[in-house]
Amino acid sequence: MLLFLRSKDLVPAARERLTNLGVDFQLVSEEPIFEIRAHLSIYSPPVLATKLADLGRVETGKSRTPLLDAMPSGHEVVVEVRGRTEPIRFRNQPRQAVWIAGPCSLDESNNLEENAARLAKLGVQVLRGGAVKPRTSPHEFQGVGRAGYSQLARAAHAHGMACISETLSEDDVPEAAEFLDIIQVGARNMQNFALLRKLGRCAKPVMLKRGPGATLLEWASAAEYILNEGNRRIILCERGVRGLETELRYTLDLAGAAFMQHRYSLPMVIDPSHATGVKQILEACTAGALAMGFAGVMLETHPRPAEARSDALQALTPEEFSAIAGRHLHS
Amino acid sequence: MLLFLRSKDLVPAARERLTNLGVDFQLVSEEPIFEIRAHLSIYSPPVLATKLADLGRVETGKSRTPLLDAMPSGHEVVVEVRGRTEPIRFRNQPRQAVWIAGPCSLDESNNLEENAARLAKLGVQVLRGGAVKPRTSPHEFQGVGRAGYSQLARAAHAHGMACISETLSEDDVPEAAEFLDIIQVGARNMQNFALLRKLGRCAKPVMLKRGPGATLLEWASAAEYILNEGNRRIILCERGVRGLETELRYTLDLAGAAFMQHRYSLPMVIDPSHATGVKQILEACTAGALAMGFAGVMLETHPRPAEARSDALQALTPEEFSAIAGRHLHS
Amino acid sequence: MLLFLRSKDLVPAARERLTNLGVDFQLVSEEPIFEIRAHLSIYSPPVLATKLADLGRVETGKSRTPLLDAMPSGHEVVVEVRGRTEPIRFRNQPRQAVWIAGPCSLDESNNLEENAARLAKLGVQVLRGGAVKPRTSPHEFQGVGRAGYSQLARAAHAHGMACISETLSEDDVPEAAEFLDIIQVGARNMQNFALLRKLGRCAKPVMLKRGPGATLLEWASAAEYILNEGNRRIILCERGVRGLETELRYTLDLAGAAFMQHRYSLPMVIDPSHATGVKQILEACTAGALAMGFAGVMLETHPRPAEARSDALQALTPEEFSAIAGRHLHS
Amino acid sequence: MLLFLRSKDLVPAARERLTNLGVDFQLVSEEPIFEIRAHLSIYSPPVLATKLADLGRVETGKSRTPLLDAMPSGHEVVVEVRGRTEPIRFRNQPRQAVWIAGPCSLDESNNLEENAARLAKLGVQVLRGGAVKPRTSPHEFQGVGRAGYSQLARAAHAHGMACISETLSEDDVPEAAEFLDIIQVGARNMQNFALLRKLGRCAKPVMLKRGPGATLLEWASAAEYILNEGNRRIILCERGVRGLETELRYTLDLAGAAFMQHRYSLPMVIDPSHATGVKQILEACTAGALAMGFAGVMLETHPRPAEARSDALQALTPEEFSAIAGRHLHS
């Protein structure tokens, strides 16, 4: 992005304005022209241009995410749920964040009905549970299959909760759209563009998890694929990126999520369970996420973690989850 | 993995054996028992057990990649090509590495026929070219579509070359399998398990690129998905991982590829074009890859890079590619 | 770490116990023996051994950080300040977190006295300011030199605040120890072992920043160097690690800091200014850090950021900082 | 960097020139002006300006590494060795690369004299060995101390080899400069600016290892610190960066080293031993490094690795090293 100052006398004022906006720049020419780092700044190109317009002409270049840039701030994703009077609202800086909880995978070790009853009573608004599971190895449990979608929906709706589950391929979408209230795109499929396009043509809210190797711009661009097909009901979910540390499963990028929340208007949910894999710090991460103003949090819970067929170590027992919810989920 | 020594007297011998094998261990008990770091060592569990069997009993635990572990060393992927007498053979430590070259995407800026003629003459065995393109943004050129598969095949076969192109979704597979000699799974789809399973049930060779956020174990496990469906004709391709450096597009992990080549028997191809994005160092990376004994190299070439609709900066001009091929491709 | 169960009947109980502790394990032998991932778990080896003692014999192996492991939980670093009645207390889960603020570097663009007065009035307990500056390039401003230590101390003490500044080499330590209340080891010197040893033999509190390429174990081991020389007054400071994202300066690893806070008893301070470099998200990161129970936060402030000789973009103006302090610093 | 074209008619020509140079650009204005990504391109600002001068006026902005940019290409670091007729020459694209070998640390398990004799006979030109050791934990072996410098020198010089060892602090420099032929700055001290400055004022060749969390620009800037004090005898050494993969100690960034070799004229040495920690792939990495035209390679060897007090797993036995040297070190 280039700022062609109206006059040389404005150099000090421009320097001060750009610094105070927190925008990286260099004065590259004696014209004078300021060159502004334009990759993905904290402001969209049109917003930044407006903030600088009085100083001279601004050449913004093309935005990488024009559809996201055009969305109004305070965008809200409203989820209507069968059998629930009030819809569930996902938006950043919420009066009350949305809590999503449930087991990693739907399997015989879960009593979904009992689970749902307990979580609903604690104030959880969305029941999660994997039906088709993306597992690193083909020799690991692959989930109960799409039949799980309707079971999950039944359990959730019976208690006035919405339900969310993941799709792994375009073929999963029709059945998912029939039963689920929110369709999840998992981290491994963040750039499965065929799937994103299909979900963009579907009427359901989509929760797009960040890929563990994805930059913020790649993540925003994946959302842009869904928007480009017409679906504006997009929720982002930060679940950790690959980093240098190996004690935790991934590096939970709360600051990156805050950047996204400031730059774009899509609601952001934080998933500390998958990000860290360490149950002892889930409460701290949840408290942090709530204080940072994110739209929601997602936590894994299991009645008996030792029997879970996936991600047992990070699953909170009912008692552990109740304690956290009691301290942080004020319904 | 645990090694229960037959006798305490064997501690020094075991220590020496394990060190010389380059295996990380601790003597954790006075029994005596050695605990061996068993995540994904340079030896498969059965091989390591054999090498230690005279010292005592070995408990290997379950292998994460049992099908890969069971493949014989020196595995070769043979690609038969219409109109070519000799098949193309991918194997590590080759007498002669396979060269794959061609444009990033098939588009109107390419004269495929002319391109193919020139590359074939230089000794290139495989023609590459993207028909359906996975692009970060939906506003970028998305490729000419599956119709490109047959065009690519025609151009390649007319000059005795094999052809390779990418599939983005299960729906691409039938047409890809009809026309292509090798089907590529791109980095973004490395863990698109639905696609992997479908390719595992197909009779064609599959080149599986490493995801930019994927560990070596995740990459091997993705290959295990294809193997698990019965397709053993798998070629791996290292194309860079996300790292801390931003001058190059990705960090080309040649040492990681060497680890995989030593640990598993799948042929490995190196793609320095996508990994680095810097044409000035492609010759050095190619020379390095050849010296390291990889099965092949893949390079992007374009008749007029400035007109290419994707990845122009890393595309070698015909003159640049000829110079590199002249120095390193001895046919 | 190995757990030799007293009896085979205890296998299910052990499995449940280990899962509920969130400890990664495999049953590797029919003896039965459980192998527990022992690199740096959320529990120290002696603590974990105690929690499993009723199930059988535990072989923990050697701890990597025995001195840290031996420190009692709730360790507090008390900083006595000349001219201040109450000492400043750094401890995790504080009633009130310590706020550290001030300019990146002491230079002629700062009016230290005015700055100190304003920060003290807002409730900031510690004044920061770099005297000797570690700069990526030798052509950048290198700081005013050690003379800055006494200037900083004068300004801080006049307003009942403590002061903190960085040492770059052993030669800086005597003068730093004379004037400063807390001595900072910067990220680039986290493994400058000669400096760590010298600070370990000094009577002053030390704030040890995490190196941008350092694992949690390396960070803890650096603290162990200071402890090993006898200095127990160690405060850790998370300031971001190198990650795959480039929009922010570094990746702020709040979850990693929470892990350290749970595993060790050293107080933890969070520095979102250096970690992110993006002033628009500093309030969110500060709010998150406070909610997570860290001992303190550190923020960069400058009266006129455009005139700062280093890190101008992330420096909060007095008005911006007052607004954040007003909402989050309850004195 | 901005290119102000002389005329609009030159837009296509400029586009082609910039693309063929492999330089990232956007046409940002209708003036017409091209904005060129100027962070650290494969060309230095003055070189790039020269290559574009016929198209119009170029505003390069300030170089981050002006001293390195001003060094002539083909820079050679010549090491004169007592008792050796020919000096040892480090330069990229060498007729014959320099081999550096020896144990990780000098300790009682090594017979230095015997070691030196064997390595010299194989054609190794430089003997390495750590006297003062930077170890992650204070409870690990810290080296024999500076007395090791003279022992190492005696053993090396007796066989016509040069010697290299590491300094950890400014206090090590006088004794190191007295005895060593090349002084090493270890990865952990790459940004220990006090040490860099002291070495910059010393007459000895310095080998600067890349920090595991350092970008290429930070590495070059660290070399700039040494240059800035007047010492031009700088050798760079790539030894791996922190990455997402954990099977290998670090990620060996051969492509990054090739970028540095192309961009700057400092000789580059590759150290696959520390980078990978996996002895089975050291030969492949060495062969790759030699083929890529680097100035030298550095490998760890030990007469009896099981007795080594540091880095035993990656140390090559005399037999293993002889085999590699026999195939790749042609003296």
Side-chain angles (χ1 to χ4, degrees):
Chain A
M1 191 181 299
L2 298 186
L3 165 59
F4 296 77
L5 282 193
R6 276 192 291 107
S7 125
K8 284 200 187 181
D9 303 344
L10 291 171
V11 167
R15 202 180 279 283
E16 191 178 346
R17 180 85 55 84
L18 290 164
T19 305
N20 287 343
L21 288 168
V23 169
D24 204 0
F25 66 94
Q26 320 183 248
L27 178 60
V28 276
S29 153
E30 292 307 312
E31 310 299 294
I33 302 177
F34 279 89
E35 186 178 358
I36 299 166
R37 184 171 172 269
H39 184 226
L40 175 65
S41 89
I42 190 77
Y43 298 109
S44 71
V47 167
L48 188 51
T50 307
K51 287 182 185 291
L52 299 172
D54 59 312
L55 294 168
R57 183 163 60 86
V58 177
E59 292 277 353
T60 62
K62 249 200 289 196
S63 167
R64 305 290 300 268
T65 53
L67 302 176
L68 279 172
D69 288 344
M71 291 183 80
S73 69
H75 176 67
E76 195 175 71
V77 174
V78 180
V79 182
E80 308 275 352
V81 186
R82 208 177 332 167
R84 182 185 173 99
T85 356
E86 284 289 292
I88 297 166
R89 294 170 184 280
F90 286 86
R91 72 168 157 233
N92 293 323
Q93 308 300 336
R95 262 174 318 143
Q96 184 191 328
V98 176
W99 284 57
I100 307 173
C104 178
S105 61
L106 303 173
D107 61 52
E108 67 292 349
S109 72
N110 284 288
N111 184 328
L112 255 189
E113 164 54 30
E114 184 195 319
N115 236 321
R118 184 168 20 198
L119 293 173
K121 209 169 147 195
L122 289 167
V124 171
Q125 296 99 325
V126 185
L127 183 66
R128 59 153 288 157
V132 290
K133 295 295 303 171
R135 304 303 301 281
T136 299
S137 163
H139 312 301
E140 293 170 316
F141 174 61
Q142 305 282 313
V144 297
R146 288 176 212 150
Y149 294 154
S150 60
Q151 298 162 19
L152 182 73
R154 227 174 1 253
H157 296 165
H159 296 279
M161 283 191 286
C163 66
I164 182 170
S165 197
E166 182 171 353
T167 50
L168 292 187
S169 102
E170 294 162 85
D171 294 350
D172 295 336
V173 175
E175 205 155 338
E178 185 179 349
F179 293 106
L180 303 177
D181 301 302
I182 308 170
I183 301 176
Q184 176 178 313
V185 178
R188 293 171 181 88
N189 282 303
M190 191 200 83
Q191 291 188 313
N192 180 338
F193 299 123
L195 179 59
L196 296 182
R197 281 202 198 90
K198 188 140 187 184
L199 291 171
R201 293 189 296 266
C202 140
K204 284 290 169 95
V206 175
M207 188 168 84
L208 178 66
K209 288 196 143 188
R210 181 179 183 183
T215 61
L216 297 177
L217 176 57
E218 287 173 334
W219 192 13
S221 298
E224 189 88 0
Y225 266 92
I226 300 172
L227 264 178
N228 198 37
E229 302 290 331
N231 189 346
R232 296 166 62 85
R233 301 168 78 194
I234 304 170
I235 301 160
L236 298 176
C237 178
E238 162 65 23
R239 45 75 76 208
V241 288
R242 275 269 145 67
L244 55 86
E245 181 45 58
T246 56
E247 298 304 327
L248 295 90
R249 284 181 64 170
Y250 296 93
T251 301
L252 179 63
D253 188 9
L254 287 170
F259 182 99
M260 291 292 274
Q261 186 196 36
H262 194 277
R263 175 70 167 77
Y264 297 115
S265 55
L266 298 180
M268 176 72 70
V269 166
I270 304 297
D271 173 356
S273 297
H274 282 94
T276 70
V278 177
K279 62 158 72 178
Q280 286 84 349
I281 62 171
L282 294 182
E283 178 166 359
C285 293
T286 299
L290 295 172
M292 291 174 80
F294 294 115
V297 292
M298 178 148 88
L299 289 163
E300 277 187 24
T301 63
H302 194 283
R304 288 164 302 280
E307 296 171 24
R309 300 195 59 180
S310 57
D311 288 355
L313 294 185
Q314 73 214 24
L316 296 164
T317 63
E319 294 68 35
E320 289 166 339
F321 181 75
S322 295
I324 295 176
R327 283 189 285 267
H328 302 280
L329 194 174
H330 311 287
S331 42
Chain B
M1 192 182 297
L2 299 185
L3 164 59
F4 296 78
L5 283 193
R6 276 192 291 106
S7 125
K8 285 200 186 182
D9 303 343
L10 289 172
V11 167
R15 202 181 279 283
E16 191 178 346
R17 180 84 56 86
L18 290 164
T19 304
N20 287 342
L21 288 168
V23 169
D24 203 2
F25 65 93
Q26 323 182 243
L27 179 60
V28 276
S29 153
E30 292 307 310
E31 308 301 296
I33 302 178
F34 279 90
E35 186 177 359
I36 298 167
R37 183 172 174 270
H39 182 228
L40 174 66
S41 90
I42 190 76
Y43 299 109
S44 71
V47 167
L48 189 51
T50 308
K51 287 182 183 290
L52 299 171
D54 59 313
L55 294 167
R57 182 163 61 84
V58 177
E59 293 278 354
T60 63
K62 250 200 291 197
S63 167
R64 305 289 300 267
T65 53
L67 302 177
L68 278 173
D69 288 345
M71 290 182 80
S73 68
H75 176 68
E76 194 174 74
V77 174
V78 180
V79 182
E80 308 274 352
V81 186
R82 208 177 331 168
R84 182 186 173 99
T85 355
E86 284 289 291
I88 297 165
R89 295 171 183 281
F90 286 86
R91 73 168 156 233
N92 293 322
Q93 307 301 335
R95 263 175 315 143
Q96 184 191 327
V98 176
W99 284 57
I100 307 173
C104 177
S105 60
L106 302 174
D107 62 51
E108 67 293 348
S109 71
N110 285 288
N111 183 329
L112 255 188
E113 164 53 31
E114 184 195 320
N115 235 323
R118 184 169 18 198
L119 295 172
K121 210 169 147 195
L122 290 167
V124 170
Q125 296 100 326
V126 185
L127 182 67
R128 58 154 287 158
V132 291
K133 295 295 303 172
R135 303 303 302 281
T136 299
S137 163
H139 312 302
E140 293 170 315
F141 175 62
Q142 305 281 314
V144 298
R146 290 175 212 152
Y149 294 154
S150 60
Q151 298 162 18
L152 181 72
R154 230 177 355 256
H157 297 164
H159 296 278
M161 284 190 287
C163 65
I164 182 169
S165 196
E166 182 170 353
T167 50
L168 293 188
S169 104
E170 296 162 85
D171 294 350
D172 294 335
V173 174
E175 204 155 338
E178 185 180 347
F179 293 106
L180 303 177
D181 301 301
I182 309 170
I183 301 177
Q184 177 178 313
V185 178
R188 293 172 181 86
N189 283 302
M190 192 200 84
Q191 291 188 312
N192 180 338
F193 300 124
L195 179 60
L196 297 181
R197 282 201 197 90
K198 187 138 188 186
L199 291 172
R201 292 189 296 267
C202 143
K204 284 290 169 93
V206 174
M207 187 167 85
L208 178 66
K209 289 196 142 188
R210 181 179 184 182
T215 61
L216 297 177
L217 177 57
E218 288 173 334
W219 191 13
S221 298
E224 190 89 0
Y225 265 91
I226 300 173
L227 264 178
N228 198 39
E229 303 290 331
N231 189 347
R232 297 166 61 84
R233 301 168 78 195
I234 303 170
I235 301 160
L236 299 176
C237 178
E238 161 66 23
R239 46 75 73 209
V241 289
R242 274 271 145 67
L244 55 87
E245 182 45 58
T246 56
E247 298 304 327
L248 295 90
R249 283 181 64 171
Y250 296 93
T251 300
L252 179 64
D253 189 10
L254 287 170
F259 183 99
M260 291 292 276
Q261 186 196 35
H262 194 276
R263 175 69 167 77
Y264 296 114
S265 56
L266 298 181
M268 175 73 69
V269 166
I270 304 296
D271 174 357
S273 297
H274 282 93
T276 69
V278 177
K279 62 157 73 175
Q280 286 83 350
I281 62 171
L282 295 182
E283 177 166 1
C285 293
T286 299
L290 295 172
M292 292 174 80
F294 294 114
V297 292
M298 179 148 87
L299 288 164
E300 277 188 22
T301 63
H302 194 283
R304 286 164 302 280
E307 295 170 24
R309 298 194 60 179
S310 59
D311 288 356
L313 295 185
Q314 73 214 26
L316 295 164
T317 62
E319 294 68 35
E320 290 166 338
F321 181 75
S322 294
I324 295 176
R327 283 189 285 266
H328 303 281
L329 194 174
H330 311 287
S331 44
Chain C
M1 192 183 298
L2 298 184
L3 164 59
F4 296 78
L5 282 192
R6 276 191 291 107
S7 126
K8 285 201 187 183
D9 304 344
L10 290 171
V11 167
R15 202 182 278 284
E16 191 179 346
R17 180 84 57 85
L18 290 165
T19 305
N20 287 343
L21 288 169
V23 169
D24 202 1
F25 66 94
Q26 316 183 248
L27 180 58
V28 276
S29 153
E30 293 307 312
E31 309 300 297
I33 302 177
F34 279 89
E35 185 179 357
I36 298 167
R37 181 171 175 273
H39 183 227
L40 174 66
S41 90
I42 190 77
Y43 298 109
S44 72
V47 167
L48 189 51
T50 307
K51 287 181 184 291
L52 299 172
D54 59 312
L55 294 167
R57 183 163 59 84
V58 177
E59 292 277 354
T60 63
K62 249 200 292 196
S63 167
R64 304 289 301 267
T65 53
L67 301 176
L68 279 173
D69 288 346
M71 290 181 81
S73 69
H75 176 67
E76 194 174 74
V77 174
V78 180
V79 181
E80 307 275 352
V81 186
R82 206 178 334 168
R84 182 185 172 99
T85 356
E86 283 290 292
I88 297 165
R89 294 170 183 282
F90 285 87
R91 72 169 157 233
N92 294 322
Q93 307 301 336
R95 263 175 316 144
Q96 182 192 328
V98 177
W99 284 57
I100 306 173
C104 178
S105 60
L106 302 174
D107 61 51
E108 66 292 349
S109 71
N110 284 288
N111 184 329
L112 255 189
E113 164 53 31
E114 184 196 320
N115 235 323
R118 182 167 22 199
L119 295 172
K121 209 169 149 195
L122 291 168
V124 171
Q125 296 100 325
V126 185
L127 182 67
R128 59 153 289 158
V132 291
K133 295 295 303 173
R135 304 303 301 282
T136 299
S137 163
H139 312 301
E140 293 170 315
F141 174 61
Q142 305 282 313
V144 298
R146 290 175 211 150
Y149 294 154
S150 59
Q151 297 162 18
L152 182 72
R154 230 178 355 254
H157 296 164
H159 296 278
M161 284 191 286
C163 65
I164 182 170
S165 195
E166 182 171 353
T167 49
L168 293 188
S169 103
E170 295 163 86
D171 293 350
D172 295 335
V173 175
E175 205 157 337
E178 184 180 347
F179 293 106
L180 303 176
D181 301 301
I182 309 170
I183 300 176
Q184 176 178 313
V185 178
R188 293 173 182 87
N189 282 303
M190 192 200 84
Q191 292 188 314
N192 180 338
F193 300 124
L195 179 60
L196 297 181
R197 281 201 199 92
K198 187 138 187 187
L199 291 171
R201 292 189 297 266
C202 139
K204 284 290 168 93
V206 175
M207 187 168 84
L208 179 66
K209 288 197 141 187
R210 181 179 184 183
T215 62
L216 297 176
L217 177 56
E218 288 173 333
W219 191 13
S221 298
E224 190 89 0
Y225 265 91
I226 300 172
L227 264 177
N228 198 39
E229 302 290 331
N231 188 347
R232 296 165 62 84
R233 301 168 78 194
I234 303 170
I235 301 160
L236 299 176
C237 178
E238 162 64 24
R239 45 77 72 206
V241 289
R242 273 271 144 67
L244 56 86
E245 181 46 57
T246 57
E247 298 304 327
L248 295 90
R249 284 181 63 171
Y250 295 94
T251 301
L252 178 64
D253 188 9
L254 287 170
F259 183 99
M260 290 292 275
Q261 186 195 37
H262 195 277
R263 175 68 167 79
Y264 297 114
S265 56
L266 298 181
M268 176 72 70
V269 166
I270 304 296
D271 173 357
S273 297
H274 283 93
T276 69
V278 177
K279 62 158 72 177
Q280 286 83 350
I281 62 172
L282 294 182
E283 179 166 1
C285 293
T286 299
L290 295 172
M292 292 174 80
F294 294 115
V297 292
M298 179 148 87
L299 288 164
E300 276 187 23
T301 63
H302 194 283
R304 287 164 302 279
E307 295 170 24
R309 299 194 60 178
S310 58
D311 287 357
L313 295 184
Q314 73 214 24
L316 296 164
T317 62
E319 294 67 35
E320 290 166 338
F321 181 75
S322 294
I324 295 176
R327 284 189 285 267
H328 302 282
L329 194 174
H330 313 287
S331 43
Chain D
M1 191 182 296
L2 299 185
L3 165 59
F4 296 79
L5 282 193
R6 276 192 291 109
S7 124
K8 285 201 187 182
D9 303 344
L10 291 171
V11 167
R15 203 181 277 284
E16 191 178 347
R17 180 85 56 83
L18 290 164
T19 305
N20 287 344
L21 288 168
V23 170
D24 204 0
F25 66 93
Q26 321 182 246
L27 179 59
V28 276
S29 154
E30 292 308 313
E31 310 298 297
I33 302 177
F34 279 89
E35 188 179 357
I36 299 166
R37 183 172 173 269
H39 183 227
L40 176 65
S41 90
I42 190 76
Y43 298 109
S44 72
V47 167
L48 189 50
T50 306
K51 287 181 184 291
L52 299 171
D54 59 312
L55 293 167
R57 183 164 60 86
V58 177
E59 293 276 354
T60 62
K62 249 201 289 195
S63 167
R64 305 290 299 268
T65 53
L67 302 176
L68 279 172
D69 289 345
M71 290 182 82
S73 69
H75 176 68
E76 195 174 72
V77 175
V78 180
V79 182
E80 308 275 352
V81 186
R82 208 176 332 168
R84 182 185 172 99
T85 357
E86 283 291 291
I88 297 165
R89 295 171 182 280
F90 285 86
R91 71 168 159 233
N92 293 322
Q93 309 301 335
R95 263 174 316 144
Q96 183 190 326
V98 176
W99 284 57
I100 307 173
C104 177
S105 61
L106 303 174
D107 62 49
E108 67 292 349
S109 72
N110 284 288
N111 184 329
L112 255 189
E113 163 54 29
E114 184 195 320
N115 235 320
R118 183 169 20 202
L119 295 172
K121 210 169 146 193
L122 290 167
V124 170
Q125 296 100 323
V126 185
L127 182 67
R128 59 153 289 157
V132 290
K133 295 295 303 172
R135 304 302 302 281
T136 298
S137 163
H139 312 301
E140 293 169 315
F141 175 61
Q142 306 282 312
V144 297
R146 289 176 213 150
Y149 293 154
S150 59
Q151 298 161 19
L152 181 73
R154 230 175 357 256
H157 296 163
H159 296 279
M161 283 191 287
C163 65
I164 183 171
S165 195
E166 182 171 354
T167 50
L168 291 188
S169 101
E170 294 162 86
D171 294 350
D172 294 336
V173 175
E175 205 156 338
E178 185 178 349
F179 293 106
L180 303 176
D181 301 302
I182 308 171
I183 301 176
Q184 177 177 312
V185 178
R188 293 172 181 87
N189 282 303
M190 191 200 84
Q191 292 188 312
N192 180 338
F193 299 124
L195 179 58
L196 296 182
R197 280 202 199 91
K198 187 138 186 187
L199 291 171
R201 292 189 296 267
C202 138
K204 284 290 170 93
V206 174
M207 188 169 84
L208 179 65
K209 288 196 142 187
R210 181 179 183 183
T215 61
L216 297 178
L217 176 57
E218 287 173 333
W219 192 13
S221 299
E224 189 89 0
Y225 265 92
I226 300 172
L227 263 178
N228 198 39
E229 302 290 331
N231 189 346
R232 296 165 62 85
R233 301 167 78 194
I234 304 169
I235 301 160
L236 299 176
C237 177
E238 162 64 25
R239 46 75 74 207
V241 288
R242 274 270 144 67
L244 54 86
E245 181 45 58
T246 56
E247 298 305 326
L248 295 91
R249 283 181 63 171
Y250 296 93
T251 300
L252 179 63
D253 189 9
L254 287 170
F259 183 98
M260 290 292 274
Q261 185 195 37
H262 194 276
R263 175 70 166 77
Y264 296 115
S265 55
L266 299 180
M268 175 73 69
V269 166
I270 304 296
D271 173 356
S273 297
H274 282 94
T276 70
V278 177
K279 63 157 73 178
Q280 286 84 349
I281 62 171
L282 294 182
E283 178 166 1
C285 293
T286 299
L290 295 172
M292 291 174 80
F294 294 114
V297 293
M298 179 148 87
L299 289 164
E300 277 187 22
T301 64
H302 194 283
R304 289 164 302 281
E307 296 170 23
R309 299 195 60 178
S310 58
D311 288 356
L313 294 184
Q314 73 214 25
L316 295 163
T317 63
E319 294 68 34
E320 290 167 338
F321 181 75
S322 294
I324 295 176
R327 283 189 285 268
H328 302 281
L329 195 173
H330 311 288
S331 43

